[in-house]
Amino acid sequence: MKKSTGVVGVVVVLGAAYLGATWYVGKQAQTTVERAVAQANERFAKVLGTDLGGSELKLGISDYQRRFFSSDVTYALSLKDEDGKPVELILRDHMQHGPFPLDALRAGDFKPMLAYSQSQLVASPATQKWFDSQKGASPMQITTHIGFGGTGKSVWTFAPVDVVEGEDKISFSGGTIDVKFSNDFNDNTATGRFDALSFNDPQTGKGLKVKNIQVNSVTTTGAQNDVKTQSSATIDSFVMGNVNDGAVTIDKLSVNVDSQQKDKLLDGSVRYDFGRLAVDDIDLGSLAVGGKVQQLDVTALTSLAAEYDAIAAKHGVSDDDELVLTEAEEAVL
């Protein structure tokens, strides 16, 4: 009798301890998520300049409902499109608190963690056609393991899409992006793959076909808060234009971009390698093109771009060739 009473006591103590740990971890998870959102906005400002290049890009938490074992969070990414109109992308997240979230255990991950997050894109005016192509289902799912100490991993899954707008048709094979985080979420490694993307305008005969897209990116943050990024992308086949008149074909295209930014100054380089370049039946062979910038003032550049866009909008023109600047406008630029 005494032995069974002791066992029950141990179970009660362990259960109480786990409930206490879950409550504490849930609170820490909220703090971590809010800090990660703030860091994302700081990174936007660092890369695009303090005025964000006129895009008004901002990530925010519009709702956070924290309960004992889980939380429901709604994120909103706000920006402006090329016409200056506001666009909002909404993400809804169901997050199970650690240290051992049930769905993470079901997925075969037995490591202690802050939270196990399952997010999906929510329909909004900007994404409604994407949702319509999925018959109301979410076209993007994100599963994230939020670890302790600013670590984690995330898998972004994009569903195949076929969208028809007027006579234009856009087809996308879908794909995945895998991201690993470290260094208090300041460093990340990302890899992604998409099999195909195509756009077709039957009226003009022009189109775009891209096959086998692979992307890789590594971002690290130094002790002086300088950010170094190494990114690459490869495409097996790229065809653009009218297949019967002036189509450009590129086989084995690779792009490599390296950059390092300290405060507002950016050093960077880009290189394009074309394994084979052809126009119609004319084979132009292989080609490599590259460029480099040093000590580029990102804030000044984005301010210049924003001022130029404001002048173009005042003149009511969308084509740069149609814009005629006054002497005063030239002086401002």
Side-chain angles (χ1 to χ4, degrees), residues 21-38 61-75 93 95-98 113-117 146-148 185:
T22 301
W23 174 84
Y24 176 77
V25 169
K27 187 176 181 181
Q28 291 299 110
Q30 180 174 357
T31 301
T32 299
V33 167
E34 290 172 345
R35 186 175 74 251
V37 169
I61 299 174
S62 55
D63 186 52
Y64 202 117
Q65 298 292 330
R66 178 162 63 89
R67 292 178 291 276
F68 203 96
F69 291 104
S70 65
S71 296
D72 289 309
V73 190
T74 301
Y75 305 94
D93 180 17
M95 188 168 59
Q96 293 185 353
H97 303 157
M113 64 183 71
L114 270 177
Y116 182 77
S117 165
I146 305 174
F148 293 97
F185 303 106

Side-chain angles (χ1 to χ4, degrees), residues 47-49 51 53-54 264 266 293 296-309:
V47 173
L48 299 176
D51 65 353
K264 62 180 181 179
L266 175 71
V293 296
L296 177 66
D297 190 320
V298 175
T299 301
L301 180 64
T302 54
S303 296
L304 175 64
E307 188 67 41
Y308 181 87
D309 289 342

Side-chain angles (χ1 to χ4, degrees), residues 134-154:
Q134 303 297 309
K135 298 181 180 179
S138 179
M140 185 178 74
Q141 308 280 342
I142 306 172
T143 300
T144 305
H145 302 237
I146 305 174
F148 293 97
T151 62
K153 59 181 180 179
S154 185

Side-chain angles (χ1 to χ4, degrees), residues 166-182:
E167 295 186 357
D168 298 341
K169 182 179 180 180
I170 300 175
S171 296
F172 173 54
S173 65
T176 59
I177 297 177
D178 294 276
V179 187
K180 293 182 179 180
F181 302 96
S182 59

Side-chain angles (χ1 to χ4, degrees), residues 80-85 318:
K80 284 187 175 182
D81 64 14
E82 58 185 9
D83 298 322
K85 297 179 181 178
S318 57

Side-chain angles (χ1 to χ4, degrees), residues 223-303:
Q224 301 300 319
N225 204 31
D226 54 321
V227 179
K228 184 177 181 180
T229 302
Q230 296 176 301
S231 302
S232 65
T234 60
I235 297 174
D236 278 357
S237 176
F238 180 99
V239 181
M240 180 177 62
N242 192 320
V243 294
N244 299 317
D245 182 20
V248 176
T249 301
I250 301 172
D251 293 330
K252 302 299 181 183
L253 169 64
S254 67
V255 183
N256 291 276
V257 180
D258 293 338
S259 68
Q260 184 167 1
Q261 184 174 353
K262 187 173 183 179
D263 296 327
K264 62 180 181 179
L265 298 179
L266 175 71
D267 294 338
S269 64
V270 60
R271 178 185 172 96
Y272 296 86
D273 287 280
F274 304 84
R276 173 180 171 269
L277 176 63
V279 179
D280 286 338
D281 296 330
I282 303 174
D283 191 337
L284 302 177
S286 61
L287 178 69
V289 181
K292 181 182 292 186
V293 296
Q294 289 182 305
Q295 300 293 288
L296 177 66
D297 190 320
V298 175
T299 301
L301 180 64
T302 54
S303 296

